[in-house]
Amino acid sequence: PASLHVVEHIRLKYACEDCQAHVATAPRLPETIERGLPGTGLLAHVAVSKYIDHLPLYRLERIFAREGVMLSRSTMCDWMASIGGLMEPIWKAMKDRILLSKAIQTDDTSVPALDLLLPGKNRTGRFWAYLGDRRNSFVVYDYTRDRSRDGPDLFLSGFSTGYLQSDAYTVYDSLHNRGILEVACWAHARRKFYDCRSTCPNYAHPALAWIGRLYDVEKAATAAIQGRLVEEKDIENEQRWAIEDEIRGQFRKEQSHPLMESFGEWLKTVAGQVLPKSPMGQAVAYSQTNWEALNRYLDVPFLAIDNNASENALRSIALGRKNWLHIGSDAGGRTAAILMTVLQSCKHFKVEPFAYLKDVLDRVSTHPHSRIAELLPDAWKPAPAKSE
């Protein structure tokens, strides 16, 4: 089991024996938190426990107490805020990489946040997940006070050309109006038909079958790609991606396009046979309203059929909020977004989160900003061990 220990640094003072002047003291060793007690191992442990293992700080307080160490949750909260500030340059570097993508996926979810104007009451804050393309495959989280368009507008202010795949929420309209192409999500469209399977089965089940065939094409294309890549050995990423695009594009052209055309004609027929405000009428209207965006993935092989990757990125928050009492403040939400970005990206790149965070906390305050890319999870290498 993990253990906690105290490391004492003794700084001797020296002075002239004759006049007691010229007092000299050894300088303090570098500290992650200035004049703070925790070492980088303890800081990394608390962060990983909260943002990877979903342990709220009040539980960690009790766990440490059983070990005979009294650490208040407020103290640990201050620690997380401090290391969140240290890790912010890495968060910004990952955000900059995402904005270089040709396609970005995004989704959001709610989280309870303490309302400082109404003590004891919670309001609803939002976490947003942004995923880059295969060349910049980071997941970056952002926190906002509400679900207004200001959050995506500000985060994506540097993204002016490319594709944005989302759930067709209206806050993204301003982004599409400035030239970013909308890509809709077939999982969201399918869900609306799925909800009608008991109230309107005669129409819901054919729609689900049609959408299922579109997904079958994607599965067949993936299997063909994997079979092709087995034959290719020692190829660069660019070559691999070219093979993926070629095979997936061919499958979609030959199989998905005809399916989409016939499904579109079926939707037109059904639209005149159901009540517009009924669940089935709304499901049909959603697909027809977003038809161009739902079709866009067909002609761009590197686009996904749905937005599920960004939804999966929000699962960690959905799990965490079952344990958290709330986000304590907007600043706390910002800290959580930064640390979750770093740690969840470690999981994505199969980097051990504790080892990464401990090492980076040892280095980030003195690491040259011009070389911050070396500390990103996809490029990180542990610092070489110091010789005795």
Side-chain angles (χ1 to χ4, degrees):
S3 61
L4 294 99
H5 57 274
V6 176
V7 177
E8 291 187 349
H9 297 281
I10 300 174
R11 301 166 62 212
L12 300 177
K13 290 185 178 181
Y14 296 92
C16 175
E17 292 183 353
D18 297 327
C19 63
Q20 302 297 312
H22 308 293
V23 176
T25 306
R28 298 177 66 93
L29 294 175
E31 297 168 327
T32 306
I33 299 176
E34 188 175 0
R35 298 186 178 276
L37 294 177
T40 53
L42 179 56
L43 291 172
H45 173 72
V46 173
V48 170
S49 296
K50 180 172 182 180
Y51 298 110
I52 292 289
D53 301 324
H54 315 297
L55 285 173
L57 295 181
Y58 73 90
R59 291 186 193 170
L60 285 171
E61 184 181 54
R62 296 172 184 173
I63 292 171
F64 287 133
R66 290 199 300 269
E67 300 294 328
V69 178
M70 304 308 296
L71 291 176
S72 70
R73 67 192 76 173
S74 61
T75 297
M76 288 186 283
C77 186
D78 291 341
W79 291 351
M80 294 302 98
S82 296
I83 66 173
L86 288 173
M87 301 300 290
E88 188 169 8
I90 294 177
W91 180 91
K92 289 181 177 178
M94 294 168 70
K95 173 187 172 183
D96 291 342
R97 283 281 300 276
I98 279 184
L99 296 180
L100 296 175
S101 301
K102 294 181 179 179
I104 295 176
Q105 289 192 3
T106 183
D107 204 357
D108 68 287
T109 190
S110 61
V111 63
L114 188 64
D115 193 335
L116 299 181
L117 299 179
L118 297 172
K121 300 292 184 180
N122 284 342
R123 55 180 176 80
T124 301
R126 308 298 299 191
F127 274 113
W128 307 74
Y130 298 91
L131 278 69
D133 61 15
R134 56 197 178 189
R135 289 179 174 80
N136 307 283
S137 57
F138 298 100
V139 52
V140 175
Y141 297 92
D142 191 26
Y143 172 82
T144 59
R145 289 179 55 87
D146 51 40
R147 206 187 181 197
S148 69
R149 72 180 188 181
D150 295 342
D153 278 357
L154 180 60
F155 187 94
L156 296 171
S157 58
F159 184 64
S160 56
T161 58
Y163 300 89
L164 180 66
Q165 189 163 28
S166 65
D167 57 2
Y169 184 40
T170 55
V171 297
Y172 304 114
D173 290 347
S174 61
L175 296 170
H176 301 314
N177 291 337
R178 73 178 195 222
I180 300 173
L181 295 175
E182 179 183 8
V183 183
C185 170
W186 270 107
H188 281 84
R190 180 188 182 278
R191 195 171 302 150
K192 295 184 181 299
F193 289 108
Y194 182 82
D195 292 339
C196 301
R197 67 193 187 284
S198 58
T199 58
C200 195
N202 292 340
Y203 292 132
H205 289 293
L208 293 174
W210 241 303
I211 298 172
R213 292 174 68 186
L214 291 174
Y215 275 89
D216 288 341
V217 174
E218 297 300 306
K219 292 178 183 177
T222 299
I225 290 169
Q226 291 174 345
R228 173 74 177 276
L229 292 178
V230 168
E231 301 173 0
E232 305 286 346
K233 295 181 179 179
D234 300 325
I235 60 174
E236 300 292 333
N237 282 336
E238 293 294 337
Q239 295 173 294
R240 178 166 59 85
W241 294 332
I243 292 172
E244 292 176 359
D245 290 348
E246 177 188 356
I247 295 176
R248 196 175 299 280
Q250 191 68 23
F251 268 77
R252 289 176 178 177
K253 180 181 179 181
E254 295 177 354
Q255 300 182 41
S256 297
H257 267 289
L259 286 171
M260 200 74 78
E261 290 176 4
S262 57
F263 187 39
E265 293 299 321
W266 182 84
L267 288 174
K268 292 178 183 178
T269 302
V270 173
Q273 299 174 359
V274 297
L275 295 174
K277 292 187 178 181
S278 67
M280 177 54 66
Q282 293 178 7
V284 171
Y286 178 89
S287 293
Q288 289 186 312
T289 302
N290 297 288
W291 190 247
E292 183 179 356
L294 285 169
N295 277 263
R296 187 155 280 138
Y297 84 98
L298 294 178
D299 300 315
V300 187
F302 59 80
L303 293 178
I305 189 175
D306 57 36
N307 204 34
N308 285 351
S310 60
E311 286 199 1
N312 291 339
L314 292 171
R315 285 185 178 179
S316 57
I317 295 174
L319 288 171
R321 69 185 174 206
K322 293 181 180 180
N323 298 313
W324 304 331
L325 295 176
H326 45 242
I327 295 294
S329 64
D330 291 340
R334 175 72 172 171
T335 295
I338 292 171
L339 294 179
M340 289 190 66
T341 293
V342 173
L343 296 175
Q344 293 298 328
S345 290
C346 283
K347 289 177 61 178
H348 174 72
F349 289 107
K350 295 180 173 55
V351 173
E352 206 290 303
F354 173 83
Y356 170 85
L357 188 57
K358 182 181 185 302
D359 179 71
V360 171
L361 287 175
D362 281 329
R363 301 158 61 185
V364 68
S365 59
T366 58
H367 194 82
H369 189 272
S370 60
R371 293 165 47 199
I372 199 70
E374 297 175 1
L375 299 183
L376 299 187
D378 64 330
W380 170 77
K381 294 181 180 179
K386 296 180 181 179
S387 59
E388 296 293 338

